[in-house]
């Protein structure tokens, strides 16, 4: 194989000053140069300042993030004992005698389960309706804005709205009715229903996103096989969107676990789980969650047992880390490839 | 329309059948979406109806200042049992002021910090650092606010009380307020730390989604890295920055528990004329006020006052998402959805 | 046409501007190859000074001067060597066409000339690249890229108005931003040279992404021309264009070549034959053959070149 590549002898570059004997035409100045636009390509002061600011912010972010994580880990290791996970909280001002946080832990799990059980089916249904049907368009826009309003509504507002609703006398079945007929309005069910509203926008959002990434031709191929829209949704679209649904559900669980306002207002003030009698007693009863336990045991709360608060916060953090990990696992799961 | 007439031509029994089930599914899903919409509308109406007496009794003076808001709340709480003797007198300015001040300052700091940190993470951070910090930021964005509150009240508040509040400073304002470390300074600081990860996570995702070809196109014109980042990438992600801003502001507005833990929980309007002491004075925003007074919700006039606070929060967050929508719309002019 | 309005004219769309028909290129099966007006590589004894390679259409001398060269340049993405020991010059005064089958490393070679390949983390480079007798590594990278302009395979206008796109490089390269008044003549000139002016003159404030693919590509050409590069790298600039736009671009390229050293990657051999003075054929990362266009297309020395160009020229 003979590749003929000419290699010219290196030599000095000819002077840029035009040689008067050079017969070439003088190149005309570029339009930009003629207009007097400078061509310096360095970094201006503003650029440098921006760059430095980005580095400063980035590094301080890293420092703050690391200190929060390490601080919580240290406190967790210092104060968390396994028996706290298996004993119920006791009313005592002595940190060694006020028990563990079994009830709040169970409460967190139960409340999350209830909230997500309401939120996922509703959210998926609404997302499907919005992306696949969305008629009449005006109603769809209204539903969209409604969901957005819920997403922006502070949970404390949802909480007192929930109290308003569930204290109506016909809502008595969801909580506990006192002697005089006054409905208490506070229970796992009522808190869970409001928690579902917090999770709903997240579920709707990520389901819609997932549905929107499925190209049109996939739907058309399914119709071409003689499937109707409903079974296309059930057999083709929802399975393809399952990563999105799972992400939304997990994000929703994270939000539910972490909410305090709804728990403080809608789950009653007792730290122990107190079921009502009857079939759905547990759901109609009151209790606490890790968030309300942490709040209660902080100096701002009634219990004031900082060690317990740290330990419970650490457990809560572990749950959040787990949920985050699940979200990233789902994200890495192979998404369907459309070609 | 053409499709419909086309369908009519080669209609078969089977397609009719299919269309009917399809229609049923559509109606079902649409009905569900409408129910949620009704629920949301109901929430807004309920809250406003409940809030009305407080506004009508005070008129525009509701928003003004005058007297101690905590004393007024106490009087409302203790008002006589007969409806005609209910006390509604309230001048809510200190609470509104605290909400605007704490949210505004925290959001302003956060947006600058988050944009710069996002740029750092995507563009300048070494690979290893980037791989660690990104999941940590996502985690911090999901950490329950009560944990931030706990760190704030157990670590930052004592620090401030010990190192920033001297006896002299305490005495200088002792005639109006007690300084104990819980302050707008700590509130803003913890709130900033809480909402920054939320914004950074969104901004990083958006920056990463900026098509390479734009960045390369800018680079190929001899534009330096910072400028390319600022003028192409940042420009392109303005909608995401607005979305992050809206989300973070909504979070900050609605943050109840954490701020009630660290910002002092006193209905006091810090006075900027106090110099640096201003930052060390306590305050209590609307959301915290509701949570702190949850026990009193069943006292009719007091409950109505709380719903008035909720109504203000609801209006603000609805206005916020509308403003965000309008801003995003104005940015999409040149993007044309090409992302 | 007015240029200064800041408001879009969405409502009052002007009557469709019919672009002037310049020249319609009819793609014939065999293209006449310009043999004879290219004198081939310079006399080695002549050194690196400019040399005359032929005469132009009006009998004026055509000069060639080396601007860039690569010496044993190799680029690898991880273990995949996309460019292998390529040594080639880029001269002003002539158009160099890079041809070769898909995936042979043309884009990679082009992107390495302005160090854009460094934005790909996996890419590794060995060998030297020289711009005006100075290694490109010695340049400030922004300096280098402002002298070596590039047009991408896919049109990539920014999400801004048409005017802002063309003015982008001028605005953002310097430390102070020129005003719109000053930028206007340059932008108009660039758009004219890219053959886009007639179509967009009345809607300079419209979003660039609303243009058609071909218009976007010409906008990108205008964007590169506005900053007056000394070397211009064109990666299949006409792959999305219709024959008329193609011929406008080709005319622009031929007009530019006296001032700007041009490298064009193209899969269209007839286009290469029409506008290129020198042609380099790459295959699987190797530079197989380079020479005067007439020689490479008319009498290729290598069998692989023969196989590749043979199809197009019967
Ligand atoms: N960013 C990248 N990362 C890894 N490998 C790459 C990358 N870009 C190109 N390659 C590889 O380098 C080789 C050459 O690619 P290149 O894009 O230079 O080809 P090309 O000649 O421009 O092809 P085409 O005519 O299709 O544009 C190919 O094998 C390709 O797989
Ligand atoms: Mg290519």
């Amino acid at each position: 194989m003979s590749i003929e590549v000419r290699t010219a002898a290196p030599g000095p570059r000819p002077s840029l000053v035009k040689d008067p004997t050079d017969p070439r035409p003088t190149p005309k100045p570029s339009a930009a140069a003629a207009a007097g636009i400078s061509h310096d390509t360095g970094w201006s002061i503003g650029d440098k300042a921006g760059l430095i600011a980005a580095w400063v912010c980035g590094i301080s972010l890293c420092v703050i993030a690391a200190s929060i994580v390490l601080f919580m880990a240290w406190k967790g290791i210092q104060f968390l004992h396994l028996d706290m996970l298996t004993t119920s909280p006791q009313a005592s001002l002595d940190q060694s005698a006020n028990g563990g946080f079994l009830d709040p832990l169970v409460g967190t799990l139960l409340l999350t389960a209830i909230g997500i059980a309401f939120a996922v089916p509703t959210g998926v249904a609404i997302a499907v309706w919005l992306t696949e049907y969305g008629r009449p368009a005006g109603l769809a826009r209204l539903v969209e804005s409604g969901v957005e309003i819920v997403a922006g509504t502070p949970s404390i507002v949802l909480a007192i709205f929930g109290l308003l609703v569930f204290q109506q006398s016909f809502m008595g079945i969801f909580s506990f009715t006192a002697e005089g007929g006054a409905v208490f309005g506070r229970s796992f069910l009522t808190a869970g229903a409001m928690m579902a509203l917090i999770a709903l926008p997240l579920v709707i959002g990520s389901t819609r996103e997932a549905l929107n990434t499925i190209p049109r031709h996939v739907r058309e191929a399914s119709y071409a096989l003689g499937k109707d829209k409903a079974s296309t949704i059930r057999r083709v679209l929802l399975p393809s969107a399952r990563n999105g649904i799972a992400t939304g559900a997990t994000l929703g669980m994270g939000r539910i676990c972490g909410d305090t306002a709804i728990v403080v207002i809608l789950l009653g003030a007792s730290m122990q789980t107190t079921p009502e009698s009857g079939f759905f007693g547990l759901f109609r009863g009151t209790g606490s969650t890790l968030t309300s336990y942490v709040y209660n045991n902080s100096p701002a709360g009634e219990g004031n047992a900082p060690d317990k608060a740290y330990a419970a916060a650490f457990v809560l953090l572990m749950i959040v880390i787990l949920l985050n990990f699940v979200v990233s696992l789902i994200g890495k799961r192979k998404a369907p490839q459309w070609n | 329309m053409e499709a419909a007439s086309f369908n009519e031509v080669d209609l078969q029994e089977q397609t009719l059948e299919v269309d009917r089930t399809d229609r049923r599914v559509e109606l079902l899903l649409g009905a569900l979406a409408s129910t949620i919409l009704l629920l949301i509308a109901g929430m807004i109406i309920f809250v406003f109806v409940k809030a009305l007496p407080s506004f009508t009794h005070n008129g525009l003076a509701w928003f003004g200042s005058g007297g101690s808001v905590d004393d007024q709340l106490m009087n409302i709480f203790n008002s006589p049992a007969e409806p005609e003797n209910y006390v509604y007198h309230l001048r809510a300015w200190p609470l509104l002021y605290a909400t605007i001040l704490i949210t505004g300052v925290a959001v302003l700091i956060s947006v600058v910090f988050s944009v710069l940190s996002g740029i750092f993470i995507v563009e300048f951070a070494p690979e290893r650092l980037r791989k660690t910090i990104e999941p940590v930021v996502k985690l911090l964005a999901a950490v329950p606010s009560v944990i931030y509150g706990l760190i704030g009240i157990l670590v930052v508040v004592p620090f401030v009380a010990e190192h920033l509040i001297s006896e002299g400073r305490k005495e200088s304002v002792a005639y109006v307020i007690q300084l104990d470390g819980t302050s707008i300074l700590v509130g803003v600081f913890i709130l900033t730390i809480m909402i920054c990860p939320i914004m950074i996570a969104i901004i990083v995702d958006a920056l990463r989604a900026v098509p390479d070809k734009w960045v390369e196109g800018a680079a190929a014109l001899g534009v330096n890295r910072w400028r390319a980042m600022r003028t192409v990438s940042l420009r392109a992600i303005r909608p995401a920055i607005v979305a992050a801003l809206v989300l973070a502001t909504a979070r900050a507005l609605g943050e109840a528990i954490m701020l009630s833990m660290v910002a002092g929980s006193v209905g006091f309007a810090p006075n900027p004329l106090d110099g640096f002491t201003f930052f060390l004075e306590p305050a209590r925003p609307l959301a915290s006020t509701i949570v702190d007074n949850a026990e009193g919700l069943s006292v009719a006039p007091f409950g109505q006052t709380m719903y008035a606070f909720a109504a203000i929060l609801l209006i603000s967050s609805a206005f916020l998402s509308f403003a965000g929508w309008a801003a995003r719309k104005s940015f999409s002019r040149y993007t044309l959805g090409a992302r | 046409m007015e240029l200064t309005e800041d408001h879009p004219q969405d409502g009052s769309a002007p009557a469709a501007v019919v672009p002037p028909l310049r020249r319609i290129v009819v793609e014939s099966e065999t293209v006449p190859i310009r043999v004879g007006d290219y004198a081939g590589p310079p006399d080695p004894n002549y050194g690196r000074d400019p040399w005359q390679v032929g005469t132009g259409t009006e009998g004026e001398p055509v000069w060639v001067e080396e601007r860039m060269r690569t010496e044993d340049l190799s680029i690898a993405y991880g273990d995949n060597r996309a460019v292998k020991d390529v040594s080639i010059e880029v001269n002003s005064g002539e158009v160099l066409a890079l041809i070769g089958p898909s995936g042979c490393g043309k884009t990679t070679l082009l992107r390495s000339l302005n160090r854009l390949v460094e934005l790909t983390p996996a890419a590794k480079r060995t060998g030297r690249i020289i711009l005006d007798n100075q290694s490109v590594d010695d340049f400030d990278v922004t300096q280098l890229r402002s002298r070596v302009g590039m047009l991408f395979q896919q049109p990539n206008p920014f999400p801004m108005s048409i005017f802002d796109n063309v003015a982008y490089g001028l605005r953002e390269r310097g430390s102070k931003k020129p005003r719109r008044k000053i930028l206007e003549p340059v932008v108009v000139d660039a758009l004219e040279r890219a053959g886009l002016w007639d179509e967009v003159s009345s809607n300079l404030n419209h979003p660039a992404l609303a243009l058609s693919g071909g218009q976007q590509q010409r906008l990108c050409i205008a964007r590169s021309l506005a900053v007056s590069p000394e070397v211009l790298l064109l990666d299949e600039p006409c792959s999305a264009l219709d024959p008329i736009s193609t011929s406008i671009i080709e005319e622009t390229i031929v007009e530019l070549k006296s001032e700007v050293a041009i490298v064009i990657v193209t899969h269209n051999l007839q286009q290469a034959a029409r506008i290129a003075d020198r042609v380099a054929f790459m295959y699987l990362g190797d530079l197989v053959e380079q020479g005067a266009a007439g020689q490479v297309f008319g009498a290729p020395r290598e069998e692989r070149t023969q196989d590749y160009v043979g199809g197009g020229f019967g």
Side-chain angles (χ1 to χ4, degrees):
Chain A
M1 184 175 77
S2 73
I3 301 174
E4 190 187 335
V5 177
R6 179 172 57 87
T7 45
R13 174 164 168 69
S15 150
L16 288 175
V17 181
K18 188 167 156 45
D19 177 1
T21 60
D22 188 344
R24 291 177 297 157
T26 316
K28 56 177 191 294
S30 73
I37 296 169
S38 75
H39 270 203
D40 63 311
T41 50
W43 288 62
S44 70
I45 308 246
D47 294 345
K48 282 180 196 149
L51 185 71
I52 291 169
W55 273 89
V56 169
C57 287
I59 298 294
S60 29
L61 171 75
C62 296
V63 170
I64 294 172
S67 35
I68 293 176
V69 170
L70 294 179
F71 178 78
M72 284 314 293
W74 173 54
K75 287 294 175 189
I77 292 164
Q78 198 177 353
F79 295 124
L80 180 66
H81 302 291
L82 279 183
D83 55 344
M84 289 181 190
L85 299 176
T86 54
T87 48
S88 293
Q90 304 299 328
S92 164
L93 284 179
D94 181 1
Q95 288 205 49
S96 59
N98 61 359
F101 39 82
L102 171 67
D103 294 26
L105 179 60
V106 174
T108 291
L109 302 180
L110 182 61
L111 194 59
T112 308
I114 296 173
I116 221 66
F118 285 133
V120 167
T122 324
V124 170
I126 292 176
V128 166
W129 181 74
L130 280 173
T131 39
E132 303 302 316
Y133 297 96
R135 288 175 307 192
L139 182 63
R141 291 299 83 73
L142 270 181
V143 171
E144 267 178 1
S145 344
V147 170
E148 191 152 329
I149 286 180
V150 172
T153 304
S155 63
I156 180 73
V157 175
L158 292 177
I160 64 171
F161 165 66
L163 200 60
L164 194 61
V165 170
F166 289 111
Q167 280 185 338
Q168 305 296 320
S169 50
F170 64 95
M171 292 290 189
I173 45 161
F174 295 116
S175 60
F176 138 90
T177 312
E179 288 295 309
V183 174
F184 191 47
R186 301 172 170 92
S187 73
F188 274 105
L189 267 184
T190 60
M194 287 300 129
M195 288 293 193
L197 276 184
I198 295 191
L200 196 65
L202 294 166
V203 176
I204 293 180
S206 50
T207 308
R208 286 188 72 184
E209 205 172 292
L211 286 174
N212 280 333
T213 57
I214 304 174
R216 178 182 291 267
H217 68 78
V218 173
R219 294 175 175 83
E220 278 161 4
S222 171
Y223 301 148
L225 290 175
K227 286 189 182 167
D228 60 7
K229 202 161 182 168
S231 67
T232 302
I233 291 170
R234 205 155 51 88
R235 298 265 162 72
V236 183
L237 301 187
L238 286 187
S240 318
R242 63 172 196 277
N243 280 3
I245 298 172
T247 305
T250 322
L251 289 174
M253 283 153 88
R255 284 296 293 281
I256 297 178
C257 289
D259 198 273
T260 321
I262 291 182
V263 178
V264 167
I265 289 186
L266 273 177
L267 201 56
S270 65
M271 281 296 119
Q272 283 108 338
T273 310
T274 355
E276 290 300 307
S277 58
F279 181 51
F280 271 123
L282 180 59
F283 296 96
R284 293 172 57 214
T286 60
S288 63
T289 65
L290 288 173
T291 52
S292 68
Y293 182 84
V294 170
Y295 176 57
N296 200 53
N297 282 309
S298 78
E302 284 143 25
N304 197 0
D307 300 356
K308 291 287 161 60
Y310 272 130
F314 181 74
V315 173
L316 185 56
L317 202 58
M318 286 296 130
I319 296 177
V320 172
I321 290 178
L322 181 74
L323 289 174
N324 252 44
F325 181 67
V326 170
V327 170
S328 68
L329 270 195
I330 298 169
K332 283 199 191 98
R333 205 156 68 172
K334 199 169 163 337
Q337 298 291 313
W338 314 108
N339 290 312
Chain B
M1 257 138 270
E2 279 154 79
S5 60
F6 172 76
N7 261 353
E8 264 160 18
V9 179
D10 56 10
L11 260 189
Q12 292 177 354
E13 274 303 295
Q14 216 180 357
T15 31
L16 254 183
E17 184 61 33
V18 163
D19 277 358
R20 236 180 268 128
T21 43
D22 224 32
R23 190 88 197 118
R24 273 205 294 273
V25 172
E26 177 174 2
L27 282 179
L28 198 75
L29 294 176
L32 186 67
S34 312
T35 314
I36 293 292
L37 188 62
L38 279 181
L39 186 75
I40 296 161
M43 169 177 85
I44 296 169
I45 294 167
F46 264 19
V47 168
F48 277 86
V49 167
K50 226 16 199 166
L52 210 54
S54 180
F55 290 125
T56 49
H57 277 79
N58 292 291
L60 274 183
W62 193 95
F63 298 93
S65 61
S68 153
V69 69
D70 280 349
D71 290 350
Q72 291 157 6
L73 285 174
M74 186 65 87
N75 290 339
I76 296 172
F77 183 74
N78 292 328
S79 60
E82 310 82 42
E84 62 275 12
N85 290 339
Y86 281 169
V87 177
Y88 283 108
H89 178 80
L90 181 75
R91 300 289 177 263
W93 173 247
L95 310 178
L96 297 170
Y97 172 66
T99 310
I100 297 169
L101 182 73
I102 295 181
T103 305
V105 175
V107 166
L108 273 185
I109 299 174
S110 303
V111 75
V112 175
F113 184 84
S114 304
V115 166
L116 289 169
S117 310
I119 292 177
F120 171 79
I121 291 177
V122 172
E123 185 73 11
F124 300 110
E127 185 69 11
R128 291 257 295 282
L129 183 59
R130 192 181 65 67
K131 283 219 166 104
T132 352
I133 194 70
E134 247 186 282
V136 173
V137 165
K138 290 231 160 83
L139 170 69
L140 289 184
V143 167
S145 59
V146 71
I147 295 186
Y148 288 114
L150 186 70
I151 298 178
I153 199 168
L154 287 177
V155 181
V156 187
V157 167
F159 178 88
V160 169
E162 219 165 281
H163 293 95
L164 297 180
I165 303 180
S166 61
E167 284 304 318
R169 199 185 286 285
K170 254 186 204 171
E171 271 160 33
S172 73
V173 290
Y175 63 101
V176 277
I177 197 74
Q178 295 217 305
L179 302 183
D180 63 357
T182 54
S183 54
I184 52 175
L185 177 71
V186 183
V188 166
F189 178 68
I190 300 283
L191 192 58
T192 306
I193 289 184
M194 189 183 117
I195 60 181
C196 270
I198 300 174
M199 300 182 82
I200 295 174
I202 296 177
I203 289 172
V204 164
D205 280 350
L207 278 179
R208 186 134 312 135
V210 171
D212 280 349
K213 61 179 188 177
W214 289 345
V215 181
E216 290 185 350
L221 289 170
V223 173
N224 68 42
R225 242 166 126 189
W226 177 260
R227 280 285 183 92
M229 191 61 167
R230 216 193 64 204
T231 52
V232 175
S233 307
L234 268 196
R235 242 183 97 101
I237 66 156
R238 281 180 308 180
I241 296 179
V242 170
L245 196 68
V246 167
L247 191 67
T249 313
R251 274 301 198 59
L253 265 184
E255 186 47 57
I257 296 286
M258 186 277 281
L259 287 177
S260 111
M261 289 163 90
V262 303
S265 215
V266 180
F268 177 75
N271 184 358
L273 296 179
D274 291 344
F276 181 68
T277 308
F278 165 72
F279 296 104
L280 302 172
E281 290 169 348
R284 190 184 57 219
L286 290 173
S288 303
T289 308
I290 303 176
V291 124
D292 282 357
N293 296 293
E295 256 89 272
L297 279 170
S298 47
V299 179
F302 192 76
Q304 284 160 339
T305 308
M306 292 300 131
Y307 282 99
F309 297 155
I312 299 291
L313 288 176
L314 209 50
I315 292 180
S316 324
S317 56
F319 175 76
L320 194 66
S321 56
F322 173 75
W325 169 84
R328 284 203 299 274
K329 200 167 165 64
S330 77
F331 291 148
S332 68
R333 169 145 191 255
Y334 292 116
T335 318
L336 302 177
R339 285 303 310 276
Chain C
M1 295 286 166
E2 275 302 307
L3 227 172
T4 40
E5 88 279 273
D6 259 317
H7 306 288
Q9 302 185 325
D10 288 326
S12 57
V17 184
V18 182
L21 219 55
R22 293 238 205 137
R23 183 184 74 190
I24 297 184
V25 178
V26 182
E27 300 272 346
S28 61
E29 291 222 332
T30 55
V31 169
I33 296 168
R34 293 178 303 146
V35 184
D37 64 350
Y38 180 76
D43 182 352
N45 300 329
Y46 198 83
R48 319 214 131 257
D49 286 348
W51 65 94
Q52 187 175 352
V53 289
T55 47
T57 43
E58 277 139 35
E60 79 279 8
V62 171
W63 295 89
V64 167
E65 180 184 8
E66 184 195 290
R67 300 309 301 271
M68 289 192 90
R69 69 172 185 277
T70 68
E71 292 173 358
D72 296 326
L73 175 71
S74 296
I75 313 281
Y77 295 106
D79 296 334
N80 171 18
R81 281 180 75 200
V83 171
K84 299 171 192 160
D85 296 328
V86 168
S87 301
I88 196 168
E89 298 83 28
V90 178
N91 305 324
S92 71
E94 64 169 20
V95 173
L96 167 66
L98 284 180
I99 59 170
S102 190
C104 68
K106 307 182 293 293
T107 300
T108 306
L109 175 60
L110 223 50
R111 285 166 60 91
S112 66
L113 292 181
N114 62 354
R115 287 174 59 188
L116 210 58
V117 78
E118 289 170 13
L119 294 185
T120 311
K124 292 268 174 320
R125 193 187 92 202
T126 57
R128 297 215 309 156
I129 305 172
I130 313 285
L131 171 64
D132 289 345
N133 277 356
Q134 207 178 344
S135 164
V136 292
D137 301 317
D138 299 342
F139 283 90
D140 179 41
V141 72
T142 58
Q143 199 100 36
L144 171 74
R145 288 178 189 152
S146 65
R147 293 174 62 175
V148 183
M150 174 156 191
L151 191 72
F152 295 79
Q153 206 160 345
Q154 301 290 327
N156 60 346
F158 301 129
M160 308 171 185
S161 72
I162 293 172
F163 184 93
D164 289 344
N165 259 281
V166 180
Y168 180 82
L170 299 170
R171 279 190 178 139
E172 305 300 343
R173 272 174 17 172
S175 38
K176 65 171 196 286
K177 289 190 183 184
R179 286 220 304 278
R180 188 167 169 128
K181 268 256 147 47
I182 299 176
L183 290 170
E184 242 159 44
V186 187
V187 169
V188 173
D189 175 68
L191 283 169
E192 270 172 352
R193 286 205 281 170
L196 190 62
W197 174 245
D198 298 320
E199 285 150 79
V200 300
S201 56
S202 60
N203 33 16
L204 285 179
N205 288 315
H206 283 203
L209 293 180
L211 295 174
S212 79
Q215 288 172 323
Q216 289 187 12
Q217 188 63 293
R218 280 180 281 151
L219 180 68
C220 294
I221 294 181
R223 193 173 68 185
S224 313
L225 292 181
V227 296
S228 18
E230 298 163 32
V231 180
L232 191 54
L233 312 171
L234 305 164
D235 198 353
E236 297 181 43
C238 302
S239 57
L241 300 191
D242 65 316
I244 297 173
S245 323
T246 303
S247 74
I248 296 173
I249 299 298
E250 288 179 4
E251 247 171 55
T252 307
I253 292 173
V254 173
E255 268 168 31
L256 278 174
K257 75 176 180 186
S258 61
E259 303 155 33
V260 183
I262 293 176
V263 188
I264 178 170
V265 168
T266 178
H267 283 292
N268 182 341
L269 300 184
Q270 297 169 344
Q271 179 180 54
R274 277 197 300 273
I275 58 172
D277 302 291
R278 203 150 51 87
V279 174
F281 171 63
M282 289 183 70
Y283 187 72
L284 293 180
D286 291 312
L287 177 64
V288 176
E289 175 168 357
Q290 62 161 323
Q295 177 258 308
V296 172
F297 287 131
R301 285 187 285 264
E302 293 286 323
E303 201 173 318
R304 284 177 290 176
T305 319
Q306 171 69 53
D307 291 345
Y308 186 73
V309 304
F313 295 92

